[in-house]
């Protein structure tokens, strides 16, 4: 019944409710460890413990092998299956048998689950201490910040990243590729960090309800003379389109990549009285600062007005192979074990990611 209203309205049943909340709230009950399993590696292996998580405090380190979970062998266990076993109620314990990467014999450890924050802001590559380096390995004058979604913690994460780079950065790349959106106020607040005036986004509801214009205040968090590139692709939607369109229309940044998805509707979630169910309804549409439409209605063509289009000369689509390499690049650069390697391969010139190379070339042309 709800789906007949529009493609973004939905009923959220109990089996999806918890996952939905975890994505928006950016937290879940667990021990806080990133893992990989077969066939990537022979046995369940720790990629990185999340800083200050129970796993981190228990001494788990990148490269540790998890041999057992609650007495059950992890042999041939996939990472997704192991994740389900280690997640659970906050306050409950998980018993692990671990072989530390630098030890001869395994050890038993009991870890109490806690609320684990899920990051949504990432840098170019992770350092050995599991913190991000926000400067491109190819050119350390250029800061690189990737935002994977707009959740409840994203603004604070983004502010921290900006504070880290603002004194040293000569240029900035904000990568919103594959970002499906999230909370509208988060995108508005992040845009406001770069603008001293101007419209950020306007929303228009049915019969004038929920209609409003969000504008920037005078304060900015990032120097106004530093060039900015915003990267999008055909999977960048909703709040990510708001940010890209805002910085493009207000002249604060250019857009590189390919035309965005075209989701310009606002949803509100209403929890129902029954346990762990909700209704998600479309209540408004949002529009770019220049007043143009973002939402792609069924039947629209490439000639119609929707989404966010890269600036002239900065449009470039990736092949399927290049898209797969991009995901591999992100996963690899988020592995702190590589930072500990004694021999580092030379930094490729954005090999396999021509969109990033295009952004880099553009920004280099703007730098002295």
């Amino acid at each position: 019944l709800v789906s007949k209203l529009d493609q973004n309205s939905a009923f959220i049943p109990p089996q999806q409710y918890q996952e939905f909340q975890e994505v928006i709230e950016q937290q879940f009950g667990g021990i806080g460890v990133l893992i990989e399993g077969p066939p990537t590696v022979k046995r369940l292996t720790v990629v990185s413990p999340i800083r200050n998580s129970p796993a981190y405090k228990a001494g788990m380190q990148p490269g540790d092998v998890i041999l057992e979970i609650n007495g059950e062998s992890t042999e041939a266990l996939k990472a997704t299956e192991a994740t389900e076993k280690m997640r659970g109620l906050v306050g409950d314990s998980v018993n692990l048998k671990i072989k530390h990467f630098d030890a001869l014999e395994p050890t038993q450890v009991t870890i109490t689950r806690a609320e684990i924050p899920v990051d949504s802001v990432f840098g170019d590559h992770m350092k050995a201490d599991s913190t991000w380096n926000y400067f491109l390995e190819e050119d350390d004058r250029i800061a690189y910040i990737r935002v994977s979604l707009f959740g409840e913690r994203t603004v604070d994460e983004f502010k921290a990243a900006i504070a880290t780079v603002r004194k040293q950065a000569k240029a900035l790349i904000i990568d919103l590729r594959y970002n499906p959106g999230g909370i509208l106020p988060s995108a508005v607040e992040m845009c406001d960090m770069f603008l001293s005036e101007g419209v950020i986004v306007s929303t228009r509801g049915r019969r004038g309800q929920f209609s409003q214009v969000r504008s920037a205040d005078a304060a900015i968090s990032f120097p106004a003379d530093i060039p900015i590139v915003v990267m999008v692709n055909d999977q960048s939607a909703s709040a990510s389109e708001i940010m890209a369109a805002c910085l493009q229309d207000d002249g604060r940044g250019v857009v590189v990549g390919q035309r965005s998805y075209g989701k310009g509707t606002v949803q509100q979630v209403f929890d129902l009285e029954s346990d762990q169910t909700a209704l998600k309804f479309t209540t408004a549409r949002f529009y770019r600062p220049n007043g143009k439409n973002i939402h792609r209605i069924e039947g629209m063509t490439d000639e119609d007005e929707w989404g966010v289009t890269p600036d002239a000369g900065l449009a470039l689509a990736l092949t399927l192979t290049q898209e797969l390499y991009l995901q591999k690049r992100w996963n690899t650069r988020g592995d702190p074990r590589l930072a500990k390697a004694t021999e580092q391969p030379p930094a490729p010139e954005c090999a396999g990611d021509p969109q990033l190379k295009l952004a880099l070339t553009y920004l280099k042309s703007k730098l002295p």
Side-chain angles (χ1 to χ4, degrees), residues 36-47:
E36 61 182 356
T40 306
V41 292
K42 292 182 178 180
R43 199 71 178 266
L44 197 65
T45 303
V46 174
V47 173

Side-chain angles (χ1 to χ4, degrees), residues 6 89 106 108 132 138 217 229 250 267 322 327 330 364:
D6 65 86
L89 295 176
Q108 295 281 352
W132 285 101
E138 292 84 355
D217 59 29
V229 160
D250 287 314
Q267 282 75 45
Q322 289 167 339
Q327 297 295 334
W330 286 346
K364 283 183 174 181

Side-chain angles (χ1 to χ4, degrees), residues 43-337:
R43 199 71 178 266
L44 197 65
T45 303
V46 174
V47 173
S48 174
I50 298 173
R51 288 183 66 83
N52 298 319
S53 68
Y56 183 88
K57 294 176 181 177
M60 296 183 71
Q61 304 174 57
D64 288 353
V65 176
I66 302 175
L67 301 174
E68 293 181 0
I69 302 174
N70 290 328
E72 296 182 13
S73 173
T74 61
E75 189 171 0
L77 192 68
K78 296 180 180 178
T80 52
E81 297 168 332
T83 297
E84 291 179 2
K85 292 179 180 294
M86 289 188 287
R87 286 191 180 187
L89 295 176
V90 173
D92 286 356
S93 297
V94 180
N95 297 312
L96 302 177
K97 186 177 183 179
I98 301 170
K99 183 182 181 301
H100 292 298
F101 75 98
D102 56 354
L104 296 177
E105 298 295 330
T107 183
Q108 295 281 352
V109 60
T110 299
I111 302 176
T112 302
R113 294 187 183 101
E115 289 286 358
I116 305 300
V118 179
D119 291 341
S120 59
V121 174
F122 309 89
D124 178 62
H125 54 281
M126 189 171 279
K127 295 182 286 187
D129 63 356
S130 296
T131 60
W132 285 101
N133 186 322
Y134 291 103
F135 290 92
L136 280 178
E137 200 170 7
E138 292 84 355
D139 190 328
D140 62 8
R141 298 174 298 170
I142 301 174
Y144 171 89
I145 301 175
R146 179 167 65 91
V147 183
S148 63
L149 61 88
F150 291 84
E152 292 182 354
R153 297 177 56 249
T154 304
V155 172
D156 289 339
E157 292 179 63
F158 192 73
K159 285 181 177 178
I162 290 295
T164 300
V165 305
R166 60 170 295 158
K167 291 183 179 180
Q168 181 183 337
K170 304 302 181 184
L172 172 64
I173 295 173
I174 303 173
D175 194 342
L176 301 179
R177 291 177 293 177
Y178 295 100
N179 183 320
I183 301 175
L184 176 64
S186 295
V188 171
E189 189 171 349
M190 289 162 64
C191 288
D192 200 9
M193 296 172 63
F194 301 98
L195 304 173
S196 59
E197 60 181 0
V199 173
I200 293 175
V201 67
S202 60
T203 58
R204 305 173 197 170
R206 292 186 179 93
R207 296 187 295 276
Q209 294 179 328
F210 305 106
S211 298
Q212 57 182 309
V213 176
R214 313 283 184 95
S215 299
D217 59 29
I220 59 173
S221 303
F222 197 73
D225 59 342
I226 292 181
I228 297 175
V229 160
V230 183
M231 301 187 69
V232 298
N233 68 355
D234 60 354
Q235 299 302 308
S236 304
S238 191
S240 59
E241 293 177 287
I242 289 175
M243 188 167 194
C246 169
L247 297 182
Q248 186 181 52
D249 288 355
D250 287 314
R252 187 60 190 91
V254 300
V255 175
V256 171
Q258 59 195 112
R259 194 176 190 176
S260 62
Y261 180 83
K263 180 188 178 296
T265 57
V266 180
Q267 282 75 45
Q268 286 190 312
V269 178
F270 300 88
D271 290 327
L272 301 181
E273 292 183 2
S274 56
D275 291 338
Q276 295 195 326
T277 57
L279 288 172
K280 182 175 69 169
F281 285 125
T282 298
T283 57
R285 285 190 185 176
F286 56 77
Y287 293 81
R288 302 173 60 130
N290 61 16
K292 291 185 177 181
N293 171 63
I294 287 180
H295 193 62
R296 176 166 49 115
I297 301 171
E298 185 177 355
M300 280 186 167
T301 67
D302 289 343
E303 286 68 42
D304 291 313
E305 181 185 283
W306 55 267
V308 180
T309 301
D311 285 79
L314 299 178
L316 181 65
L318 298 184
T319 66
L320 177 59
T321 300
Q322 289 167 339
E323 288 180 350
L324 293 173
Y325 181 90
L326 175 60
Q327 297 295 334
K328 182 178 180 181
R329 173 188 172 95
W330 286 346
N331 291 337
T332 300
R333 288 175 171 250
D335 190 339
R337 292 173 295 181

